[in-house]
Amino acid sequence: HVQLVESGGGSVQAGGSLTLSCTYSGYAYKEVCIGWFRRAPGKEREGVAAMDMDSVRSTSYADSVKGRFTISKDPRSVDNGENIVYLQMNNLKSEDTAMYYCAAEPCALYELEGDPLRYAYTYWGQGTQVTVS
């Protein structure tokens, strides 16, 4: 049973920083890709950043966040237990205001040239709100 829980959201002034955490369990950590997505009011869901937990595929970012956001994994990754993926967000802008979700997709058998940000993610967390004023 795959579970994902986001945390770290909040309110911040423009130019500030936040770090979101995605704690997931239920899957061997090297067999999944983890993505961060966001949905702003009145807009469609947007992929923000994604990574292959096995580091086989390239990490991917949306153009709107390149150079400002960084996705990373906790180095203490374990196969049977909880693992954490972070989204470090710097120089935040008002347009970054959204509900942020993390998602997991078993990607070990996907083609190596694939873009993790474009996968159809199967498992989703409940989201954490980020507000930039």
Side-chain angles (χ1 to χ4, degrees):
H1 178 61
V2 179
Q3 287 188 310
L4 301 103
V5 179
E6 303 93 338
S7 61
S11 297
V12 64
Q13 290 187 335
S17 299
L18 278 176
T19 299
L20 306 183
S21 298
C22 172
T23 302
Y24 76 94
S25 60
Y27 230 103
Y29 85 94
K30 283 191 172 182
E31 295 185 356
V32 296
C33 290
I34 299 293
W36 282 99
F37 297 81
R38 66 187 181 186
R39 176 171 282 164
K43 295 186 177 181
E44 293 187 354
R45 187 177 64 201
E46 173 190 22
V48 176
M51 70 179 300
D52 178 352
M53 294 299 286
D54 198 20
S55 302
V56 173
R57 298 162 187 82
S58 298
T59 298
S60 182
Y61 294 93
D63 289 342
S64 58
V65 306
K66 282 181 181 177
R68 300 188 299 122
F69 289 14
T70 302
I71 186 172
S72 64
K73 61 182 178 181
D74 192 300
R76 297 167 293 180
S77 298
V78 294
D79 266 338
N80 298 310
E82 293 186 336
N83 291 290
I84 304 174
V85 173
Y86 303 103
L87 183 68
Q88 172 69 43
M89 306 185 295
N90 297 325
N91 190 22
L92 282 161
K93 305 175 181 181
S94 58
E95 50 263 44
D96 295 318
T97 295
M99 183 71 80
Y100 283 73
Y101 302 88
C102 70
E105 174 63 15
C107 62
L109 300 182
Y110 290 9
E111 61 181 31
L112 299 181
E113 295 79 16
D115 180 350
L117 199 54
R118 301 191 181 280
Y119 294 158
Y121 281 75
T122 301
Y123 305 100
W124 292 82
Q126 295 300 308
T128 185
Q129 177 68 37
V130 172
T131 302
V132 184
S133 58

